């Protein structure tokens, strides 16, 4: 079965899962020295013949038991998300990639205790419209990651709120200063690996198909922090999309040099959801601080009525999300369309170099969103 809406782009979708090991970094979230290990899922435009071939659909998650930490964090009964292992995506496993590449590349990071697939609706939409999207499972920051040898790297509960502002038992202040840069380094490592695959993919699938000169990073919640942190550190990232999160002090201090879009909500909606005044202030203060100092293009998209879970696939996964009051007042279809529409418009304009009318102020004059742009319409079409 599938719960996911049909993507709107012209391409079929392929997907391929990879196990990555970074021998240059010991994993600071492990008790004993061990190289950093990640699981990566690459989504891409597939050949028009892919659907008729023997490629089977990828499941939403590989093993529903790995969702238990996320269920605990959200207050869901145990086993609520177990059924996701039976949900088919539109991605066909290891299907041949479309012949008309290379394609621009987007790197996605999930939220705290999330997983690489929690924005699959958005990822599939982007892939169907001609992007290669690499989604990372950030081990120990994800709900659970199963490695090919059968080991499960479960969520490190030391990363629960109020991290990263305060020090939690078991993690000292020095380590907290290292956690965000360490996780953001996963993004740069994945870009390294994608460059290697583009030169010579051992499967042959991605060789020569990645337009690495057109590359952006994006993420939701913690993943938005990581995308921003990586964009400061890695000059290969040419655009950054930050979804519903405050920015770490390191990013505020350094500023961002690339085109940036924030998709979030107004302070009143955050208050209605029950966020603390400190969280609300930090989200808007850090966003405004960096936005006001951007050297070039920037956009702020505020959606009144959307709660934090509404920026992901959350409401599609279980009706309990709505029943427990975890979602806002914006209808599900509209919430998905807003996140997908503005994300696509941003990437089309600043990664593909194809101007999107949705980013023009006049297109938002009578909208249900609060839209702000730093640049005049005549300059909004600059691309990386």
């Amino acid at each position: 079965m599938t719960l996911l809406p049909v993507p709107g782009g012209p391409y079929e979708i392929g997907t391929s899962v990879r196990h990555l090991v970074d021998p240059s970094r010991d994993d600071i979230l492990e008790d004993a020295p061990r190289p950093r290990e990640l699981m990566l899922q690459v989504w891409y435009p597939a050949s028009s013949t892919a659907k008729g071939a023997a490629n089977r659909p990828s499941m939403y998650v590989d093993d529903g038991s790995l969702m238990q930490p996320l269920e605990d964090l959200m207050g869901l009964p145990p086993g609520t998300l177990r059924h996701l292992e039976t949900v088919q995506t539109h991605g066909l496993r290891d299907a041949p990639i479309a012949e008309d590449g290379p394609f621009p590349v987007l790197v996605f990071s999930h939220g705290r205790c999330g997983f690489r697939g929690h924005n699959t609706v958005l990822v599939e939409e982007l892939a169907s419209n001609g992007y290669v999207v690499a989604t990372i499972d950030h081990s120990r920051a994800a709900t659970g990651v199963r490695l090919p040898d059968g080991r499960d790297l479960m969520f490190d509960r030391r990363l629960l709120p109020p991290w990263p502002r305060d020090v939690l038992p078991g993690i000292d202040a020095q380590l907290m200063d290292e956690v965000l840069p360490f996780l953001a380094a996963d993004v740069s490592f994945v870009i390294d690996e994608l460059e290697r695959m583009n030169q010579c993919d051992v499967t042959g699938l991605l060789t020569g198909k990645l337009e690495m000169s057109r590359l952006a990073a994006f993420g939701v919640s913690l993943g938005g922090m990581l995308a921003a942190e990586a964009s400061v550190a890695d000059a290969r990232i040419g655009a950054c999309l930050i979804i519903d999160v405050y920015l770490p002090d390191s990013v505020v201090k350094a500023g961002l040099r690339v085109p940036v879009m924030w998709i979030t909500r107004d302070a009143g909606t955050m208050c209605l959801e029950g966020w603390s005044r400190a969280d609300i202030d930090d989200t808007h203060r850090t966003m405004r601080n960096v936005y006001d100092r951007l050297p070039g293009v920037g956009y702020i998209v505020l959606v009144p009525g959307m709660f934090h879970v509404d920026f992901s696939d959350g409401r599609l996964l279980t009706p309990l999300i709505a029943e427990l009051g975890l979602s806002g007042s914006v209808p599900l279809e509209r919430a998905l369309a807003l996140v997908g529409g503005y994300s696509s418009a941003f990437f089309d304009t600043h990664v593909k170099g194809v101007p999107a009318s949705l980013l023009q102020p006049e297109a938002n004059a009578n909208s249900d969103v609060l839209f702000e742009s730093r640049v005049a319409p005549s300059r909004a079409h600059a691309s990386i």
Side-chain angles (χ1 to χ4, degrees), residues 143-226:
T143 177
V145 177
R146 177 156 297 161
L147 301 179
D149 63 7
R151 283 180 293 138
D152 291 339
L153 304 182
M154 303 305 290
F155 176 66
D156 188 334
R157 294 185 62 83
R158 296 176 299 171
L159 303 186
L160 286 171
W163 177 84
R165 294 182 188 81
D166 301 325
V167 179
L168 294 178
I171 293 188
D172 60 28
Q174 182 179 0
L175 179 56
M176 294 314 305
D177 289 339
E178 295 173 359
V179 167
L180 276 175
F182 177 75
L183 294 174
D186 291 344
V187 177
S188 289
F189 169 59
V190 163
I191 295 172
D192 292 341
E193 290 296 291
L194 291 171
E195 289 182 335
R196 181 187 60 77
M197 293 175 200
N198 195 42
Q199 291 298 313
C200 183
D201 185 1
V202 293
T203 70
L205 180 65
L206 299 177
T207 302
K209 292 295 188 177
L210 309 181
E211 193 172 3
M212 298 302 296
S213 62
R214 294 183 181 271
L215 185 145
F218 70 117
V220 177
S221 195
L222 171 65
M225 286 187 186
L226 302 184

Side-chain angles (χ1 to χ4, degrees), residues 255-275:
L256 288 167
R257 57 175 177 80
V258 297
V260 186
M261 174 178 278
W262 284 263
I263 303 178
T264 183
R265 58 274 180 67
D266 60 297
T269 298
M270 296 180 74
C271 184
L272 184 65
E273 189 178 358
W275 286 54

Side-chain angles (χ1 to χ4, degrees), residues 336-361:
L336 294 172
L338 286 170
V339 173
Y342 282 97
S343 299
S344 295
F346 177 69
F347 291 135
D348 285 351
T349 300
H350 297 290
V351 177
K352 285 185 177 180
V354 178
S357 61
L358 185 59
L359 300 190
Q360 301 303 320

